[in-house]
Amino acid sequence: MQNIQEFIDLGLSDTSIRAIQEKGFEKPTEIQKRCIPILLKGHGDLIGQAQTGTGKTAAFALPLIEMIDGMKGTKQSERPKALVLVPTRELCTQVCTEIQSLAYGRTVRTVAIYGGASYNIQLRNLKDGVDIVVGTPGRVQDHLERKTLSLEDVRVCVLDEADEMLDMGFIEDIENILSQMPEDRQMLCFSATMPQPILKLASTFMHDYELVKVQTNDMTSSLTKQIFYEVYEKDKLEALRRTIDMDPNFYGLVFCRTKIQCDEIGEKLISMGYNAEALHGDLSQTQRELIVHRMREHRISILVATDVAARGIDIPELTHVINYCLPEDPESYIHRVGRTGRAGKQGLAVTFINPREFRKLAFYKKIAKTEIEKKRVPSVEEIIEAKKKTLLEDLKRIISDAEQGKCPESMYSLAKLLGESHHTTNIIAALLNDKYGRATDTSKYGIIADLYDRSSESRKEPRQRRERPERAERSERPAKHMQKKAPSKKGKKKANTSRFKTLGK
Ligand code: ADP
Ligand code: MG
């Protein structure tokens, strides 16, 4: 956590730091490090170039929030002080959500303006007073023509994903919009690439600007975090389940050594309710292609594979690579791990080792010239916490959607009716329990021997292995309510299939 100091050093307020901690950011990305101090000065134009997934949104959103917050208390118009242009409606919602979570309780009235949604609701939101408008160029231009939006008070204008906006043919709209803002507004432009048209746009609409460019290869090596868990063979499945459950967006490869193991783990995951599939050399070419295709389309989220079967297949945006078994040699370790953390997305590589493989892993580390950090298998409490956090984010999105008018009137009248006879908190809790109670159920988790604190001394004595499981099991601290229910093999509850799937993505 000492890295949070790096955020503090950028000059951000305490509330922003708290927001950042809440979001789990540990240290600023390169583009954030270089842009935030410039933007906090509150003047001067800037072009920021860095590859996708490097946190460009927070790089401009944090300074914007600080600016809006700093204006509180002074008499301000109800017209927007900042305009963020984005290429698509998805990005529009995404940027709004990021701004809201970074605002962390500060009132930053953000309105999303995009095509395909009702004008009336957008109109109402604009009339209520707004600090930041996040919009697609087409719809913003429409509102300007209808005179339902005024940019007279805009102090900062951001072109986000500028290259994509130009690719989509928004150039005229953008030029039009930019010409309707005060001359002295600050202009920021963020993009993954910097094609000629952007520089041309900049030379027309920007004053002297700073160019902050982050080289692509700065990030690649740091994009995959590598950790390992020391677990007994018999506990590996439970460790896998917990690793998967820690991330509700889990989308990963699980590497096994043999075809048989591959099938076995695949089947077990499926019976636990996961969207998994096994991929190995016994399947026909067509079957394998079909499975990989379904994985790419995100219809499967977990692929259990052998090294051979996974060779040459490319699945972008994997969140995890799990080495259920330590690979045969350091080269395959590097190869497996290199499958995540690509295209600018942060990835996590988790290796399971049994106590006898400790030295082998140390050797891999040396050959691969990489740090593989020892971690404790997530506890049930940590999993539930993580689930609650994602649930909260998803719920906030659903609520924000409703505020944008995506909830029918009949629901509002029902809500009113309920509100007459029950406390709001009780109503919400009951509904949440009905819908998500199962997702946060802890009874499906088994006990796992905690080897985290074992000294390296005991590791050298494989003979004692036999008695160790029981001892370690006793030292495990399961959740209080679990102790009674520690699952016997037969009475095991049916796996919980819900991973907030009902929420959709
Ligand atoms: P870009 O616009 O550069 O493609 P985003 O702003 O969409 O990237 O960020 C990608 C993801 O990284 C988001 O989920 C965001 O919350 C997260 N993120 C941003 N900054 C950090 C950071 N300093 N540490 C960890 N994650 C971060
Ligand atoms: Mg972006």
Side-chain angles (χ1 to χ4, degrees), residues 422-438:
H422 301 279
H423 265 300
T424 317
T425 315
N426 291 343
I427 300 172
I428 298 171
L431 294 177
L432 288 178
N433 182 46
D434 186 56
K435 199 155 181 208
Y436 307 110
R438 272 176 66 80

Side-chain angles (χ1 to χ4, degrees), residues 257-445:
R257 200 165 289 153
T258 64
K259 293 172 201 168
I260 296 169
Q261 191 181 35
C262 211
D263 262 339
E264 196 186 298
I265 307 298
E267 268 162 33
K268 282 193 176 137
L269 287 177
I270 292 167
S271 75
M272 288 173 181
Y274 294 105
N275 235 333
E277 201 79 69
L279 186 77
H280 53 69
D282 275 357
L283 300 167
S284 74
Q285 179 69 19
T286 328
Q287 278 173 316
R288 287 211 304 262
E289 273 169 20
L290 197 69
I291 291 172
V292 173
H293 179 72
R294 298 204 318 165
M295 181 75 180
R296 281 209 198 100
E297 301 233 294
H298 288 251
R299 281 187 281 159
I300 306 171
S301 52
I302 308 166
L303 205 54
V304 189
T306 56
D307 284 302
V308 179
R311 191 164 297 155
I313 63 165
D314 179 44
I315 299 164
E317 301 186 354
L318 290 173
T319 59
H320 289 69
V321 163
I322 303 213
N323 293 313
Y324 194 86
C325 299
L326 198 61
E328 297 292 345
D329 48 62
E331 286 70 31
S332 15
Y333 176 85
I334 298 169
H335 197 77
R336 285 181 184 184
V337 167
R339 289 174 171 280
T340 181
R342 283 201 261 176
K345 292 267 190 294
Q346 173 97 46
L348 183 65
V350 188
T351 302
F352 296 172
I353 61 159
N354 67 43
R356 281 176 306 166
E357 291 173 324
F358 193 81
R359 281 154 174 275
K360 203 164 165 187
L361 187 77
F363 169 68
Y364 284 19
K365 268 199 261 192
K366 223 159 95 187
I367 300 293
K369 293 194 183 63
T370 181
E371 191 43 53
I372 311 174
E373 201 184 337
K374 181 172 184 177
K375 289 273 190 187
R376 183 173 253 131
V377 179
S379 68
V380 176
E381 290 85 349
E382 284 169 317
I383 296 169
I384 299 301
E385 267 318 300
K387 286 190 175 192
K388 273 189 350 207
K389 207 168 145 189
T390 323
L391 192 53
L392 199 65
E393 274 170 26
D394 287 343
L395 288 168
K396 280 186 175 166
R397 207 189 48 236
I398 293 176
I399 294 166
S400 134
D401 279 353
E403 284 168 351
Q404 305 274 343
K406 289 183 195 159
C407 187
E409 279 305 323
S410 55
M411 290 298 150
Y412 281 96
S413 58
L414 205 55
K416 226 170 165 180
L417 210 63
L418 283 171
E420 284 166 11
S421 48
H422 301 279
H423 265 300
T424 317
T425 315
N426 291 343
I427 300 172
I428 298 171
L431 294 177
L432 288 178
N433 182 46
D434 186 56
K435 199 155 181 208
Y436 307 110
R438 272 176 66 80
T440 46
D441 174 23
T442 55
S443 61
K444 63 177 173 170
Y445 296 104

